[in-house]
Amino acid sequence: MSLNKKTTPNLPENNCSVSYTQRLIAGRWKLVIMWQLSKQTRRFNELLKLLPGVSKGILTRQLREMEEDGLVHREVYKEVPPKVEYSLTKEGQDFLPILTSMGNWGAKHRENQEKKKNNK
């Protein structure tokens, strides 16, 4: 779901920056893709191997959406066979502190939930 498409309706929630951000990162794999790209530039097949359970089609779609939304850069090298690499743009890198905070929150929440289960 790319925000650059002209089909995005002009709804009141579009003015909310949280809703806007949510739509940018919506997708089962987008946050994990960003996390992998935060470590280093990756080729498509590398990402495919790092994300067990994602199909080629879904990965392609989510990468294209992230490219359209300015989060991911796609570099095509004029070689045979063609070489394509993906990296985070400046905007994508600017999101990394938020992604790190989400990971920290998730680890803490999971730990608290496990403690609750063990105390029952």
Side-chain angles (χ1 to χ4, degrees):
M1 169 177 154
S2 174
L3 293 179
N4 292 334
K5 294 181 181 174
K6 294 186 183 205
T7 57
T8 303
N10 191 13
L11 301 173
E13 64 267 14
N14 286 347
N15 294 325
C16 173
S17 56
V18 173
S19 294
Y20 177 83
T21 304
Q22 181 182 19
R23 285 191 304 279
L24 274 177
I25 61 173
R28 180 174 178 185
W29 302 100
K30 287 184 179 180
L31 293 176
V32 182
I33 292 168
M34 290 183 77
W35 184 252
Q36 291 299 334
L37 293 178
S38 75
K39 298 175 183 182
Q40 67 185 57
T41 298
R42 306 271 188 187
R43 293 181 72 175
F44 183 85
N45 283 335
E46 284 182 90
L47 287 169
L48 203 56
K49 289 176 188 172
L50 290 167
L51 306 172
V54 69
S55 69
K56 286 182 180 181
I58 295 294
L59 181 57
T60 298
R61 185 176 336 138
Q62 298 224 324
L63 284 166
R64 283 184 185 156
E65 289 175 3
M66 294 169 75
E67 184 181 5
E68 288 175 18
D69 291 333
L71 300 173
V72 168
H73 173 72
R74 180 176 183 261
E75 183 73 34
V76 180
Y77 295 90
K78 308 281 189 222
E79 300 177 1
V80 176
K83 177 181 172 184
V84 179
E85 291 182 335
Y86 295 91
S87 59
L88 291 178
T89 62
K90 169 80 168 88
E91 289 84 1
Q93 291 172 1
D94 287 346
F95 189 77
L96 293 180
I98 298 162
L99 190 57
T100 300
S101 292
M102 290 173 67
N104 292 340
W105 180 88
K108 193 182 301 183
H109 185 268
R110 178 176 32 207
E111 182 181 320
N112 289 338
Q113 293 299 95
E114 288 173 1
K115 284 179 183 176
K116 286 179 185 179
K117 287 179 186 176
N118 292 335
N119 289 334
K120 287 186 179 182

